[in-house]
Amino acid sequence: MTDIPGDIEQLIELMARLPGLGPRSARRAVLVLLKKRGALMAPLAQAMAQVALSARDCTTCGNIGAGDTCAICADPRRATGELCVVEDVADLWAMERGGAFKGRYHVLGGTLSPLDAVGPDTLRIPRLLARVAEEGISEVILALNATVDGQTTAHYIADVLGASGVAITSLAQGVPIGGELDYLDDGTIGAALKARKRF
Amino acid sequence: MTDIPGDIEQLIELMARLPGLGPRSARRAVLVLLKKRGALMAPLAQAMAQVALSARDCTTCGNIGAGDTCAICADPRRATGELCVVEDVADLWAMERGGAFKGRYHVLGGTLSPLDAVGPDTLRIPRLLARVAEEGISEVILALNATVDGQTTAHYIADVLGASGVAITSLAQGVPIGGELDYLDDGTIGAALKARKRF
Ligand SMILES: [Zn+2]
Ligand SMILES: [Zn+2]
């Protein structure tokens, strides 16, 4: 583009690297920022710089927090003996929004993927084994995504934890609340049928 | 959400105010930023702060540039006597991407909208009249959007410019290059039929 100032063009390119924003929507977003320079752009730049500086991966669980230990690991009320294994911080946030889980988490940081050279060590699995041995864990809940990669990883973890004697569970599969059968894939319907309960 | 640190939560809220990003995609974008703190988040914060500080509305045409006069208004080669009136900086960028227009622009900053109290003064229309009188303009090209508001505003501008004797034109309407009739609305097809040319 000929006459867009260089620093605006660079901003558009960086914005276009965010998920959900292509080059076109990045331009639109930057134009909104340009119109709201004081009310939105400056505070957003400030918030981003602040988080970039302060965010830390929790050395215990892999959650993102403001220090070396995240708020959940630091909260003694969450030492319930239940450890919920998730793929990503996004999944931890989703579990927390539900508010149903009172224990602690272990964030793997992905799924096993031999082709991409993602092995157990990359995924904080050794750390998981250590925590199970050290933190008085009675149950490990495998809350991995219901994808092939997620389930492969879940099976691997169940295998390596087998000798520890800890209870290993996983989230129930079925029709989501409010889910319309017509919009569900066949696998979900099949799994829900298999796990059917007396009405 | 219980255990997202406050500054990350604030960042998500600010990101969700960008067009194209709802609360869910803002969370996803922030998670990507958190994972790429050094490679993406810090440079993006920096670029945003820089642009927030340096961007200026061109006092002549309303384009956004790095100083009081934008690069297009400052470029003597663009004093062609043609002035292209657009609604927004996004439209100016779109025209510039095409590269077909060699003259200068006048960015209205919106369309007339009496219900929202957007009158001619809010829209840099007085400034347009002054420029036509002062800059030796021979043709004003109305490149407003083909919407009701855009066309109402175009008619208003054509009216107030009527006395100046300047040529007033507008972009041709028709089937876009590569456009499939099946995907075009009836109005476009009708306008293209009306303006049909010998093959
Ligand atoms: Zn933690
Ligand atoms: Zn200008």
Side-chain angles (χ1 to χ4, degrees), chain A residues 89-119:
Chain A
V89 174
D91 304 315
L92 186 159
W93 289 357
M95 293 284 298
E96 285 294 290
R97 283 200 297 282
F101 181 65
K102 308 295 184 197
R104 285 182 178 149
Y105 295 92
H106 195 75
V107 181
L108 294 174
T111 49
L112 290 174
S113 177
L115 288 177
D116 303 317
V118 180

Side-chain angles (χ1 to χ4, degrees), chain A residues 156-176:
Chain A
Y156 176 84
I157 293 175
D159 273 355
V160 293
L161 278 178
S164 71
V166 75
I168 303 168
T169 59
S170 70
L171 297 184
Q173 288 199 312
V175 178

Side-chain angles (χ1 to χ4, degrees), chain A residues 15 27-28 32 44 77 84 87 102 108-109 116 119 123 144 149-150 155-156 170 177-178 189 192:
Chain A
M15 290 289 287
R27 274 202 306 273
R28 280 182 53 222
V32 166
L44 184 54
R77 287 166 303 179
C84 180
E87 288 176 25
K102 308 295 184 197
L108 294 174
D116 303 317
L123 286 187
L144 284 86
D149 285 353
H155 281 292
Y156 176 84
S170 70
I177 307 267
I189 294 179

